[in-house]
Amino acid sequence: MQLRLDDEDRQVAFGECLGRALQGHGRVHLEGELGAGKTTLARGILRAHGHRGAVKSPTYTLVEPYQLAGTRIHHFDLYRLGDPEELEFIGGRDLLAEDALCLIEWAERGEGWLPMPDLVVSLALAGTGREARLAAFSDHGRRVLERLAADPAPLRDRSFVDMDGETAP
């Protein structure tokens, strides 16, 4: 799935749709250069689960935990990770449990230690907006993409445009 998100509001709205489709669990790698909007997308995903406060990238703490309406969400930022083994020292195995939703920025820094993602969202700058490419790497990831395709919310307000110019979730 490949989408154009014309502005920050659309990026957050898409994050909310994605958050609903994830149904409170899974591992999502958020890829893109600095400023591509990884944390903005994470804010939308967190909003889908009821979070209304600020969302900051946990660059120095490596992980920011959230407990929202019975859902455990862990927002990782591995940009400053020196070695993937450091994840073991912060309790990474417990944090990446199957029953949690894990949003992982800069996942390539944890390569070799992190489990396979369910979904990878690659973001790139595109004018004042972003392009998002989504790829599934598990059955759960494929079901998430199916739920996104069936979500009527983006179609209702024509929020997201696929790269061929058709309205898409």
Side-chain angles (χ1 to χ4, degrees), residues 26-52:
R27 288 180 294 275
V28 180
H29 291 186
L30 302 173
E31 297 180 342
E33 63 189 61
L34 285 170
K38 298 177 293 294
T39 302
T40 300
L41 189 64
R43 181 175 4 124
I45 294 169
L46 287 162
R47 280 188 183 177
H49 294 280
H51 183 72
R52 295 295 174 247

Side-chain angles (χ1 to χ4, degrees), residues 116-145:
M116 180 70 90
D118 294 298
L119 196 66
V120 173
V121 180
S122 300
L123 296 165
L125 300 172
T128 59
R130 304 292 185 267
E131 289 180 4
R133 294 177 193 262
L134 288 77
F137 290 89
S138 71
D139 288 340
H140 177 59
R142 285 183 281 283
R143 286 189 301 273
V144 168
L145 292 181

Side-chain angles (χ1 to χ4, degrees), residues 26-31 37-46 51 53-68 71-79 87 90 95-96 100-107 123:
R27 288 180 294 275
V28 180
H29 291 186
L30 302 173
E31 297 180 342
K38 298 177 293 294
T39 302
T40 300
L41 189 64
R43 181 175 4 124
I45 294 169
L46 287 162
H51 183 72
V55 174
K56 58 183 171 69
S57 187
T59 304
Y60 293 100
T61 59
L62 297 182
V63 64
E64 184 71 30
Y66 298 86
Q67 184 72 38
L68 302 167
T71 301
R72 289 185 319 138
I73 302 174
H74 300 153
H75 180 195
F76 292 83
D77 183 333
L78 305 183
Y79 184 74
L87 290 166
I90 66 166
L95 296 173
L96 292 162
L101 174 54
C102 298
L103 310 174
I104 307 169
E105 298 183 34
W106 301 100
L123 296 165

